[in-house]
Amino acid sequence: MELKNVGRVVSRAWEYGQDKLLNLRSQTQLLFPSVLGMPIRGPLVQFYRNDEKFETRLSLVNYMSYFSPDEAITQNYSLTTYDPSGRRLGRKTLPLLPGQTRQENLATLMEGLVAEYGIFSVNTTYSPRYSGRIRFLGETSPQFMTLFIPKDGKSGPQMVHSHKRFEAWPVPPGASSRPSSCVEDLRELCRIDIFVLNSGPASVSGRILFNSLETKDTLLTLTFDVPGHGVRRLILDEKELGRFSAPASMRIEHNRMIQHRKPILFRTSRTGFVSCNHL
Amino acid sequence: MNRKLFIPSLRELGYFSGFSLRNPLAFGYAGTAPVKVLLTLFRESKPVHTHFIEFPRAQAYIITRESEWNLPGGQTQAGDLSTAEYVSGTNEPIPGDFPCEGQIIMDLPETGARASVLFEMVPVRGKGHKYAPIYHNAHYMLSSDLFETHACMMNFNIDQLETSDGSNKFEFRVLSPDGKTLQVTNRTLAYNSTSLISVSELCNGKQTNDNVAVLARGGAAQFAILSVFLNKRTNAIGLEHSLPPIYYTEAVKHTESRKVFYQKAFGNLWN
């Protein structure tokens, strides 16, 4: 077996083992919820930007009020922000009373503890931690949405969901290669910004391959090296986009099987409209 | 199991629809050759047009716009729903037991605005399947002087393919940030159609600059729901799909807890 395949097997086994351990923890909590509290996934992770083009708004909900409306449960959300190098900037706790939703600028919520862009994590706990009448819910997961509000007055607001876990423990190296379902007609764009996230604490390197739809030939390769819990920004400007004569697909390769392997792509049309989706 | 990519019409906002799909053969997912994509247009709830798109064997993806679909009237209309699915050379459905994610693409040619979202092809069960009721908690709505949000509800019903009869009953509840009910609207959403419902419409045309949430609950069918975020000045949009309750609670995995979940989440709407 080649060395890179050994790495892949180890990496997948690690991921499988980690999922099993988390599942075991969840099942144990459900056996003794009054002592250990109800199981809640997380923390989860997503990307923010806070620059001249976009502000990030975070939308949170006390989902327990909707899943189990006869229980008055407060949800305490905790938010942690990181800068592009993976340095932790700050942590805030935000209680959501029964029935509440909150939709606020992340920079305001974090009292300015944000960078130009980076990742943030979201966790939640219940207060009270347990009631017999919520046991039917089993493990729940924080509900949040990340909205990118444009500052140009012309683009539409953009939104991305997340159900990917923020990782505290490093994943061993092991190659991952994933074709994105995103096809871009690059001839119609004047700029692409791709933000590659690292949900884990160890650095990740890899590349994004732009391929011909017809022949699968690689037309352009962008490489990245992202520090633990960091973000790397990759830019294709008008000159580079001008090299493409047809739509292209993208393949994303990582050297570690981190949880969040879907970079966020912002496209700027030739008339200046910006929109985004994950890859 | 057959899977379909649901493609809405956003004609009310001036958009032209398109999509991209992988060629399962080129990725080694499907052994049957050749593979085609069957596009079906539903208008006024009835299938009125089909169009086939062939994959050259080595081609990895197709990207296609509605101008290539030879549509009746030349373009989609408000309320239209299109579906795209993989079929064999003899037009038999190909079971989607491989990664089946597509991309919905929306273009506004007059301004050059565009938006897209990656979206799993929806598993379509056979006739007579009993679907779970729909529970959609949109706590991320924007409604202001500049922005508006539409819930884009695509409602597919395989039992009603040949008729325009029938619809789902839905309750849309607009909630304040403190969870107080501001407005309740009941709507019927026709089978095999796209319904675009804005926050201000749910507030009886009154603009709300508050960060309201919309709780939509209603009858069972094969729904796919997108959020469409609109810049009212330019009609530029952003798109994102919703996630079903299974992403947020294990309760819907098991028969007994699922029943309790829907009883509690639906309250007096449950029957």
Side-chain angles (χ1 to χ4, degrees), chain B residues 24-258:
Chain B
L25 281 180
F27 285 92
Y29 299 143
T32 319
V35 172
K36 297 187 285 188
V37 173
L38 166 61
L39 179 118
T40 306
L41 175 79
F42 294 89
R43 181 164 290 167
E44 294 173 355
S45 297
K46 287 187 283 193
V48 295
H49 178 70
T50 55
H51 177 71
F52 290 94
I53 303 160
E54 300 209 10
F55 280 111
R57 188 179 174 91
Q59 183 164 326
Y61 294 79
I62 54 158
I63 177 169
T64 177
R65 301 317 211 293
E66 66 171 67
S67 58
E68 301 161 6
W69 303 344
N70 305 316
L71 296 175
Q75 60 185 41
T76 51
Q77 296 178 4
D80 284 356
L81 172 67
S82 301
T83 63
E85 62 194 292
Y86 295 116
V87 295
S88 69
T90 54
N91 301 340
E92 293 299 315
I94 294 176
D97 50 3
F98 48 85
C100 283
E101 190 180 54
Q103 179 187 22
I104 295 170
I105 302 166
M106 290 289 160
D107 283 303
L108 187 59
E110 63 203 58
T111 66
R114 59 171 36 198
S116 86
V117 60
L118 305 190
F119 201 31
E120 282 290 328
M121 296 174 83
V122 178
V124 175
R125 271 83 180 185
K127 289 189 174 182
H129 178 81
K130 192 173 184 313
Y131 288 99
I134 304 304
Y135 177 87
H136 178 60
N137 189 349
H139 52 88
Y140 36 76
M141 295 303 210
L142 297 173
S143 184
S144 66
D145 295 338
L146 185 58
F147 301 132
E148 178 63 282
T149 311
H150 296 259
C152 173
M153 310 196 64
M154 295 174 273
N155 178 1
F156 181 79
N157 188 324
I158 201 166
D159 289 323
Q160 303 284 334
L161 288 185
E162 303 303 328
T163 170
S164 57
D165 297 337
S167 58
N168 286 113
K169 291 189 177 74
F170 258 82
E171 182 203 87
F172 292 88
R173 190 171 286 259
V174 181
L175 302 164
S176 73
D178 288 332
K180 292 188 175 60
T181 298
L182 301 175
Q183 196 76 38
V184 180
T185 306
N186 291 298
R187 288 277 298 266
T188 54
L189 307 183
Y191 291 137
N192 301 316
S193 71
T194 301
S195 301
L196 206 54
I197 300 159
S198 70
V199 175
S200 54
E201 181 187 341
L202 293 174
C203 293
N204 285 334
K206 285 181 285 187
Q207 184 176 293
T208 168
N209 282 308
D210 218 347
N211 297 324
V212 296
V214 173
L215 185 64
R217 295 174 294 180
Q222 184 69 82
F223 266 84
I225 304 173
L226 298 180
S227 294
V228 182
F229 297 93
L230 175 74
N231 180 315
K232 293 194 281 192
R233 191 170 67 79
T234 63
N235 270 21
I237 58 169
L239 295 172
E240 179 58 302
H241 61 79
S242 66
L243 293 170
I246 198 163
Y247 278 88
Y248 299 120
T249 169
E250 281 184 323
V252 291
K253 280 185 181 173
H254 312 290
T255 311
E256 282 308 307
S257 54
R258 186 190 307 134

Side-chain angles (χ1 to χ4, degrees), chain A residues 23 26-27 30 41 57 59-61 63 66-70 98-101 103 133 136-145 147 149-150 152-163 178-185 188-189 212-216 247 249-251 262 267 269 271 273-279, chain B residues 20-22 25-27 29 58-63 65 100-103 105 107 111-118 135 137 139-142 146-148 175-180 211-213 215 227 229-231 233-243 245 247-252 257 260-262 264-266:
Chain A
N23 190 38
S26 173
Q27 295 303 318
L30 280 175
R41 276 188 82 221
R57 197 175 293 184
S59 181
L60 299 162
V61 59
Y63 57 82
Y66 298 91
F67 289 173
S68 189
D70 42 0
Q100 273 194 326
T101 56
Q103 197 190 102
R133 290 195 290 184
F136 75 97
L137 288 170
E139 185 179 74
T140 60
S141 185
Q143 277 194 41
F144 71 100
M145 285 286 182
L147 294 118
I149 309 297
D152 61 6
K154 66 185 285 189
S155 298
Q158 308 294 312
M159 185 170 84
V160 289
H161 66 271
S162 181
H163 47 84
R178 191 179 65 81
S180 171
S181 299
C182 188
V183 173
E184 287 294 329
D185 197 343
E188 297 173 9
L189 305 178
S212 157
L213 302 190
E214 293 175 1
T215 63
K216 287 197 199 173
S249 63
M250 282 157 270
R251 176 174 283 276
K262 295 185 175 181
R267 66 179 72 76
S269 74
T271 48
F273 291 97
V274 187
S275 63
C276 92
N277 54 249
H278 68 70
L279 291 182
Chain B
S20 73
L21 276 176
R22 286 182 210 171
L25 281 180
F27 285 92
Y29 299 143
Q59 183 164 326
Y61 294 79
I62 54 158
I63 177 169
R65 301 317 211 293
C100 283
E101 190 180 54
Q103 179 187 22
I105 302 166
D107 283 303
T111 66
R114 59 171 36 198
S116 86
V117 60
L118 305 190
Y135 177 87
N137 189 349
H139 52 88
Y140 36 76
M141 295 303 210
L142 297 173
L146 185 58
F147 301 132
E148 178 63 282
L175 302 164
S176 73
D178 288 332
K180 292 188 175 60
N211 297 324
V212 296
L215 185 64
S227 294
F229 297 93
L230 175 74
N231 180 315
R233 191 170 67 79
T234 63
N235 270 21
I237 58 169
L239 295 172
E240 179 58 302
H241 61 79
S242 66
L243 293 170
Y247 278 88
Y248 299 120
T249 169
E250 281 184 323
V252 291
S257 54
V260 178
F261 172 79
Y262 281 110
K264 285 181 180 264
F266 274 67

